[in-house]
């Protein structure tokens, strides 16, 4: 009787595990690793979709998809490298910087924040994605400024000459 009960329990155990295995699906896949940070297939697909949407909205004939994928992957790798430098140098985008840029966007386009959010939604984007993009642009600018500033060597003579 115990042997029969053990077999039934084992059978139920296998049945439950097989149902979990059959329900499993691949959630994402790593396509690149940059400085211990990953770029996933979802990241790449999202970037390609944005590029294709840009071409469509601007009535531009897009290049072959493999060319777009390579360009998007290159940009994602560059972004991870820049973010790595920013982290190493403790460079951050402040909320004031972000708010100022958003205010400039609103002023330049003469729209309200609600209109901006609505426009972003119509373009299959979101306000949060815009904020993330602006953060990256601010960080990129700060990293470039730091890198350029560290390589500048201005002599006292040149400073006196321009006074």
């Amino acid at each position: 009787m115990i042997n029969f009960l053990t077999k039934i329990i084992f059978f139920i155990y296998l049945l439950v595990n097989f149902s979990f295995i059959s329900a499993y699906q691949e959630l994402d896949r790593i396509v690149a690793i940059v400085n211990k940070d990953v770029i996933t297939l979802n990241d790449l697909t999202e970037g390609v979709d944005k590029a294709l949407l840009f071409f469509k909205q601007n009535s531009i004939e897009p290049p072959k998809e493999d060319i777009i994928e390579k360009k998007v992957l290159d940009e994602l790798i560059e972004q991870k490298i820049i973010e790595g430098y920013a982290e190493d140098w403790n460079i951050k985008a402040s909320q004031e910087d972000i708010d100022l840029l958003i205010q400039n966007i609103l002023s330049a386009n003469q729209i309200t924040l609600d209109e901006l959010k609505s426009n972003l939604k119509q373009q299959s984007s979101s306000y949060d994605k815009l904020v993330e993009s602006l953060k990256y642009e601010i960080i990129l600018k700060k990293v470039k400024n730091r890198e350029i500033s560290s390589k500048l060597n201005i002599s006292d003579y040149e400073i006196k000459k321009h006074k």
Side-chain angles (χ1 to χ4, degrees), residues 37-53:
D37 206 355
V38 296
I39 298 171
T40 65
L41 183 59
N42 284 343
D43 297 332
L44 182 59
T45 302
E46 184 178 313
V48 169
D49 290 346
K50 280 185 195 176
L52 291 172
L53 181 64

Side-chain angles (χ1 to χ4, degrees), residues 67-93:
I67 294 172
I68 295 172
E69 280 182 9
K70 183 179 181 341
K71 179 70 174 154
V72 168
L73 183 59
D74 288 346
E75 289 175 4
L76 290 170
I77 290 170
E78 181 181 301
Q79 183 175 348
K80 296 290 184 187
I81 291 170
I82 296 295
E83 289 171 351
Y85 281 133
E87 189 176 322
D88 292 346
W89 294 335
N90 199 26
I91 294 174
K92 294 181 170 74

Side-chain angles (χ1 to χ4, degrees), residues 11-163:
F11 177 74
I12 292 172
Y13 171 78
L14 287 176
L15 189 63
V16 169
N17 280 332
F18 280 129
S19 67
F20 284 127
I21 290 169
S22 65
Y24 167 80
Q25 20 174 283
E26 186 176 335
L27 298 177
D28 208 352
R29 199 176 95 223
I30 295 173
V31 294
I33 299 175
V34 182
N35 297 332
K36 299 180 184 177
D37 206 355
V38 296
I39 298 171
T40 65
L41 183 59
N42 284 343
D43 297 332
L44 182 59
T45 302
E46 184 178 313
V48 169
D49 290 346
K50 280 185 195 176
L52 291 172
L53 181 64
F54 172 81
F55 288 123
K56 182 179 179 184
Q57 288 175 338
N58 293 290
S59 302
I60 300 172
E61 183 68 30
K64 293 180 182 174
E65 193 161 331
D66 61 326
I67 294 172
I68 295 172
E69 280 182 9
K70 183 179 181 341
K71 179 70 174 154
V72 168
L73 183 59
D74 288 346
E75 289 175 4
L76 290 170
I77 290 170
E78 181 181 301
Q79 183 175 348
K80 296 290 184 187
I81 291 170
I82 296 295
E83 289 171 351
Y85 281 133
E87 189 176 322
D88 292 346
W89 294 335
N90 199 26
I91 294 174
K92 294 181 170 74
S94 72
Q95 189 61 47
E96 291 173 358
D97 293 336
I98 296 165
D99 291 343
L100 182 62
L101 275 179
I102 291 173
Q103 200 56 48
N104 288 343
I105 291 169
L106 296 176
S107 297
N109 293 295
Q110 298 178 346
I111 57 174
T112 65
L113 185 58
D114 289 334
E115 289 172 324
L116 175 64
K117 289 178 181 179
S118 175
N119 291 344
L120 289 168
K121 192 175 278 188
Q122 288 174 359
Q123 297 173 2
S124 301
S125 191
S126 70
Y127 182 74
D128 292 337
K129 288 181 182 179
L130 173 66
V131 169
E132 286 304 312
S133 176
L134 293 176
K135 279 183 186 178
Y136 174 71
E137 291 301 320
I138 292 165
I139 288 171
L140 176 62
K141 183 177 180 182
K142 288 181 177 183
V143 167
K144 284 182 178 180
N145 285 343
R146 178 177 172 148
E147 190 63 23
I148 291 169
S149 298
S150 69
K151 292 189 176 21
L152 288 179
N153 188 10
I154 302 171
S155 68
D156 290 338
Y157 170 77
E158 290 175 277
I159 293 172
K160 289 178 186 175
K161 184 174 139 183
H162 289 287
K163 283 188 177 183

